[in-house]
Amino acid sequence: MNCQQSLFQSGKPVWPAGRAGEMNLFVGFRARIAVERCDRVLLRVTASSVYRAFVNGVFAGYGPARAAHGFYRVDEWDISSLLPPGENWIAIEVAGYNVNSYYLLDQPAFLQAEVVRDGIVRASTAGEGAAFEAAVLPWRVQKVQRYSFQRPFTEAYRLRRGCNGWRTGSPDGFDAVECSVTETKTLLPRGIPLPDVTVRVPQKALCRGTVKTGIAVKDYWRDRSLTDVGTKLKGYSEAELDTAPALMLQTIANETVHPIEQPGHPPGRMMLDAQSFCLVDFGINLSGFIGATVTCTTRTRLFLLFDEILVGGDVDWKRLSCVNVLAYELEPGTYELESFEPYTLRYLKVIVLDGACEVRDVSLREYAAAGMDRATFACSHPDVMRIFDAARATCRQNATDVFMDCPSRERAGWLCDSFFTARVACEFTGSAAIERNFLENFLLPARFEHLPDGMLPMCYPADHPDGNFIPQWALWFVVQLEEYLERSGDRALVDALRPRVMNLFAYFPQFVNEDGLLERLDAWNFLEWSKANAFTRDVNYPTNMLYAGALAAAGRIYGDQALRDASRAVLDTVRAQSFDGAFFVDNAVRKDGRLERTDNRTEACQYYAFFFGAATPETHPALWRVLLHDFGPRRREHDAFPAVHVANAFVGNYLRLEMLSRHGAGGQAVAEVKGYFLGMAEQTGTLWEHDRPAASCNHGFASHVAHVLYRDALGIAGIDRTRRRIALRLGDTPLEWCEGRVPAGEGAVHVAWRRVGGEVRYRVDVPAGFALSVSTVDGVSAVREW
């Protein structure tokens, strides 16, 4: 942990006096500075909940990177290129949400900022140089519905001409208020690259049409983010709302729809009258800030509706159990609109209900992880390439500062998901820096409020006032920690986390039964999105396989033989109790005080068994053959074992690919990638939470398929960045050639191979100082070409 007050030379944390705990307060800060040609100017900034910076009205940054409760990461933006010689305005908008969420922490609002020119502070909050003055910005409606159960508020605006002039010094609408200095903050360096904020535009307009209003609604959709507002979910109740677009929009529907005659052309200017719409397509799922330039000559109500997919040819803005709506009430004028929060979408529907306007320059400013283009991959099969591109797109949108489940509904740093994302993020960037931030966040708090002693939150940084947690996800934390040590060599952080790991294991003995297995764990027991989640009653065997895996991992990390012995004992008991001669059974239940094995069997349970060592092809050869030949992506079409419930994407299908690779069937894993993921890549250009578009269609863990392709298609079986070793393993794949590059050390591993007759001819370059080992599987004959 590297906490530093010196990350700021002068700036102090400030906020409008007496309002630091107010929900959904939107505050603008600005300062004027003078610069000379060739000056180097830095903006240092951190905030709660989140900030957006401008230089002379031009977007300059967004953040900060997230940290644990009571800690704040400091961003440093080089804004030199945005500053012409002379007078310049630095403006920062800050949203102080002050509600619990899985995305941003419920902590008092503040801004701490300074502008440094050539090492001297030229402007700051309550420090040296020009003072940042502040005003509460009235344009964003304060009392609105939450966006989702997991995220804070939706965005609704009431704008008039010139309302953003304050960013460039205009006094109009900027009523300065007194700020007070808040308590000193514990600061951390950002620790990771600043985000990629490339501006993207739609690829085509799909259709135009009209809408009808006043439709009678028998049962309004009211998400729990509205109905559950109370002591455990902060927000504004329905009775308190100043505007309610999520209710009003349920009373409108398309009346006419006219396909665009030239759908391949990107949309230009859209003239929209009252009760009309236009639907545009960005080509793939993207995450970031939705923008457009809008000119209206009369009062206009404008709505931007969006989602990752179309349902019945239209945007269903509530499909994901969140409010995918931006609402604007506009006085006559021209507006450069851009959402304050990042969202995820492929499709954007622009609706004018009242008035009329011209909409142009529709855009999405990406908010994605930078540096993920350092790695490359190419192969002979276009479908596999498309899946790889979808994996990269998924990873970069889900790793801006922590490893998120999705960049849409939650933006939460979920355990288990992070185990998979961490692998591929390191391959894309050549660094474990994002993972370090992610794990460090679990180290920093003295304790996790509302959770039992020893338990880790299922996602973090997040608030959990309802006391909910997933005990299995805490065990995945330990499994990931072992791999992090191998990726990073960061012994200091791993050792610092030892008390947290040991306290976690101290939590579980209260649930250990007479056989040494975990039984009747508290809270939300989660294994994967399939029938496996229905069989967690009493003794759940996949949970115990995971428990054994976590014990063994901790034993290896910390040299604790007792933990490793305990792991072996758990696995021995699981094998004896769970295996019914054909498959591993998911659970046993108590009847009259005795455990009885059920006949509940899931595909996911089998993969847990192989992943955590309860089974191998040698110990369970018949089961291995069945899984190898009768299961996989075509199982739903030709299912020879209907009594074994089908796995889902998260996490069963991924554990299957790990099983295949680990036991010499990597070529089959590559072949199955197409069956599992091509439909996702084609439909959204990203990879999904489920094996069908039922929830998030952009889920971070799913990017792990790129790791599968690097390992099992390209052949990079492992890069040990600490011991500086690289393992190349060439097998029989359905590809004719493959080539790729993965960062390592100061350079990269570059591999290229092709089939020539019955041989695989390959070239490999490794960075200086790295040792290379080469092996083959599947009887492949490999010849190195120099």
Side-chain angles (χ1 to χ4, degrees):
M1 184 173 64
N2 184 22
C3 300
Q4 303 176 29
Q5 299 304 328
S6 60
L7 290 171
F8 283 92
Q9 293 175 227
S10 180
K12 299 178 178 62
V14 301
W15 196 252
R19 306 187 74 173
E22 194 170 330
M23 291 190 298
N24 201 28
L25 192 66
F26 200 46
V27 180
F29 297 82
R30 68 182 183 186
R32 181 173 55 185
I33 64 168
V35 301
E36 299 174 4
R37 192 176 305 277
C38 299
D39 285 345
R40 183 169 187 262
V41 183
L42 302 176
L43 171 63
R44 295 192 186 112
V45 57
T46 190
S48 178
S49 303
V50 67
Y51 74 84
R52 176 170 62 179
F54 298 87
V55 174
N56 299 320
V58 176
F59 178 93
Y62 188 90
R66 286 170 282 179
H69 285 88
F71 296 82
Y72 304 91
R73 299 191 187 274
V74 178
D75 293 342
E76 187 172 278
W77 298 87
D78 187 336
I79 59 174
S80 307
S81 63
L82 299 175
L83 297 167
E87 182 181 277
N88 292 266
W89 285 93
I90 314 298
I92 304 173
E93 296 169 339
V94 183
Y97 290 133
N98 284 295
V99 295
N100 55 295
S101 79
Y102 289 179
Y103 166 41
L104 298 167
L105 296 178
D106 182 8
Q107 299 185 125
F110 76 93
L111 171 71
Q112 187 168 359
E114 63 186 22
V115 181
V116 179
R117 192 189 85 194
D118 294 333
I120 300 173
V121 176
R122 304 297 182 176
S124 68
T125 50
E128 298 170 3
F132 275 91
E133 57 179 350
V136 175
L137 302 177
W139 321 118
R140 184 172 178 178
V141 182
Q142 184 175 16
K143 294 185 177 181
V144 293
Q145 179 178 344
R146 292 177 63 117
Y147 172 76
S148 66
F149 175 84
Q150 300 89 347
R151 286 181 64 173
F153 295 100
T154 53
E155 296 181 60
Y157 296 89
R158 292 169 177 156
L159 306 180
R160 62 176 176 80
R161 189 195 308 268
C163 60
N164 288 329
W166 71 272
R167 297 172 184 164
T168 53
S170 170
D172 186 24
F174 192 86
D175 298 324
V177 297
E178 179 184 354
C179 285
S180 59
V181 176
T182 71
E183 70 280 358
T184 300
K185 307 301 180 183
T186 304
L187 304 175
L188 297 167
R190 179 178 174 87
I192 56 174
L194 293 164
D196 183 348
V197 291
T198 301
V199 175
R200 306 282 290 269
V201 298
Q203 298 302 297
K204 54 189 173 183
L206 297 178
C207 62
R208 298 174 64 99
T210 60
V211 297
K212 53 187 175 182
T213 62
I215 295 173
V217 180
K218 183 178 180 181
D219 294 306
Y220 279 94
W221 173 80
R222 286 179 168 87
D223 182 61
R224 59 177 172 162
S225 63
L226 181 61
T227 60
D228 289 1
V229 166
T231 57
K232 293 184 178 180
L233 184 68
K234 293 173 66 175
Y236 291 108
S237 68
E238 184 174 341
E240 295 176 290
L241 301 182
D242 281 342
T243 184
L247 299 177
M248 183 278 298
L249 286 170
Q250 295 177 62
T251 68
I252 74 168
N254 291 350
E255 186 170 40
T256 65
V257 178
H258 306 289
I260 303 294
E261 293 182 0
Q262 295 179 305
H265 289 214
R269 297 173 182 265
M270 297 181 281
M271 303 301 299
L272 295 175
D273 297 322
Q275 297 184 215
S276 67
F277 73 88
C278 185
L279 176 63
V280 302
D281 177 7
F282 280 86
I284 65 169
N285 258 350
L286 298 169
S287 296
F289 311 104
I290 303 168
T293 300
V294 178
T295 300
C296 49
T297 57
T298 185
R299 255 189 194 178
T300 298
R301 278 200 301 162
L302 174 72
F303 297 88
L304 306 182
L305 282 52
F306 51 93
D307 196 18
E308 302 171 292
I309 62 173
L310 296 179
V311 177
D314 199 7
V315 169
D316 180 359
W317 52 268
K318 57 187 184 300
R319 177 193 66 88
L320 200 51
S321 296
C322 48
V323 182
N324 279 341
V325 175
L326 296 168
Y328 298 93
E329 297 178 18
L330 307 173
E331 296 293 327
T334 295
Y335 302 89
E336 303 286 341
L337 304 179
E338 188 167 290
S339 67
F340 182 80
E341 283 286 338
Y343 303 102
T344 300
L345 66 148
R346 174 175 175 176
Y347 300 99
L348 176 67
K349 186 177 185 181
V350 183
I351 301 178
V352 171
L353 279 191
D354 305 309
C357 64
E358 175 194 80
V359 180
R360 65 183 188 277
D361 301 330
V362 174
S363 65
L364 183 137
R365 185 187 304 276
E366 288 194 277
Y367 187 50
M372 291 203 171
D373 55 355
R374 293 186 62 198
T376 63
F377 179 88
C379 70
S380 57
H381 205 303
D383 288 343
V384 175
M385 281 294 303
R386 191 166 192 171
I387 292 166
F388 177 86
D389 290 342
R392 193 203 305 269
T394 301
C395 190
R396 62 189 295 272
Q397 294 176 59
N398 281 282
T400 50
D401 56 347
V402 299
F403 295 134
M404 297 184 291
D405 61 331
C406 61
S408 54
R409 178 187 65 217
E410 303 185 29
R411 299 190 66 83
W414 280 89
L415 293 173
C416 186
D417 300 67
S418 63
F419 170 84
F420 296 93
T421 313
R423 285 179 165 184
V424 70
C426 187
E427 289 171 333
F428 282 146
T429 65
S431 166
I434 304 170
E435 186 175 18
R436 189 189 193 286
N437 271 20
F438 180 86
L439 296 173
E440 184 184 56
N441 288 339
F442 284 85
L443 167 68
L444 294 174
R447 67 179 306 273
F448 297 106
E449 295 293 331
H450 310 293
L451 299 186
D453 288 343
M455 182 49 59
L456 301 178
M458 56 194 178
C459 58
Y460 197 74
D463 302 302
H464 300 281
D466 59 2
N468 199 16
F469 60 92
I470 300 177
Q472 291 84 357
W473 271 205
L475 296 171
W476 276 105
F477 174 88
V478 183
V479 177
Q480 179 182 342
L481 190 62
E482 182 181 28
E483 291 201 0
Y484 170 73
L485 180 60
E486 295 170 357
R487 276 188 284 271
S488 68
D490 187 357
R491 189 79 237 182
L493 178 60
V494 172
D495 284 347
L497 281 162
R498 182 171 186 165
R500 191 126 279 173
V501 171
M502 296 308 169
N503 287 341
L504 171 65
F505 286 127
Y507 166 82
F508 285 107
Q510 62 185 309
F511 301 99
V512 173
N513 66 15
E514 66 274 17
D515 298 324
L517 300 184
L518 298 177
E519 182 174 351
R520 295 187 181 181
L521 290 176
D522 283 344
W524 183 14
N525 282 263
F526 192 103
L527 296 163
E528 79 141 9
W529 284 124
S530 75
K531 198 69 173 177
N533 273 356
F535 303 139
T536 58
R537 178 185 166 194
D538 296 345
V539 174
N540 177 263
Y541 293 114
T543 295
N544 279 281
M545 297 168 190
L546 169 58
Y547 182 47
L551 288 167
R556 291 187 292 266
I557 293 170
Y558 299 117
D560 191 322
Q561 189 60 43
L563 291 177
R564 299 177 73 173
D565 292 343
S567 169
R568 281 192 288 270
V570 170
L571 283 183
D572 288 343
T573 304
V574 167
R575 290 188 197 100
Q577 292 188 8
S578 175
F579 192 65
D580 67 1
F583 293 94
F584 284 88
V585 170
D586 279 63
N587 69 324
V589 299
R590 289 279 170 186
K591 292 185 178 179
D592 300 323
R594 296 171 57 88
L595 274 180
E596 292 187 11
R597 188 173 63 201
T598 69
D599 59 0
N600 299 322
R601 299 183 296 183
T602 68
E603 186 178 353
C605 180
Q606 317 314 308
Y607 301 147
Y608 268 85
F610 277 86
F611 189 80
F612 290 110
T616 68
E618 293 72 33
T619 61
H620 295 78
L623 174 59
W624 164 251
R625 289 191 296 271
V626 167
L627 295 176
L628 189 67
H629 300 299
D630 297 319
F631 285 65
R634 293 181 58 83
R635 188 181 168 217
R636 291 184 186 274
E637 302 170 19
H638 308 284
D639 192 356
F641 297 92
V644 180
H645 298 281
V646 176
N648 203 338
F650 186 59
V651 292
N653 293 347
Y654 283 80
L655 294 185
R656 173 179 176 80
L657 297 177
E658 293 305 287
M659 175 193 73
L660 294 175
S661 177
R662 183 181 297 177
H663 298 295
Q668 182 170 332
V670 174
E672 291 187 1
V673 159
K674 180 179 176 181
Y676 280 130
F677 306 114
L678 180 58
M680 303 181 189
E682 290 176 334
Q683 189 167 349
T684 64
T686 49
L687 304 177
W688 304 349
E689 179 179 8
H690 295 267
D691 57 9
R692 58 199 181 281
S696 162
C697 296
N698 188 343
H699 233 63
F701 85 94
S703 61
H704 185 267
V705 70
H707 174 74
V708 175
L709 293 175
Y710 277 129
R711 180 188 62 202
D712 300 315
L714 185 59
I716 301 178
I719 301 176
D720 187 332
R721 291 174 171 81
T722 57
R723 299 181 182 87
R724 301 179 74 81
R725 300 172 184 168
I726 294 166
L728 184 65
R729 184 181 65 201
L730 300 171
D732 186 18
T733 78
L735 306 176
E736 292 300 314
W737 61 267
C738 192
E739 181 176 3
R741 180 181 185 274
V742 175
E746 298 302 314
V749 184
H750 183 264
V751 177
W753 62 259
R754 58 193 174 96
R755 293 182 183 276
V756 179
E759 295 179 338
V760 171
R761 298 185 181 179
Y762 70 96
R763 296 181 180 180
V764 57
D765 295 309
V766 302
F770 278 77
L772 173 69
S773 65
V774 182
S775 62
T776 62
V777 292
D778 303 320
V780 165
S781 174
V783 178
R784 185 170 183 175
E785 296 179 332
W786 297 91

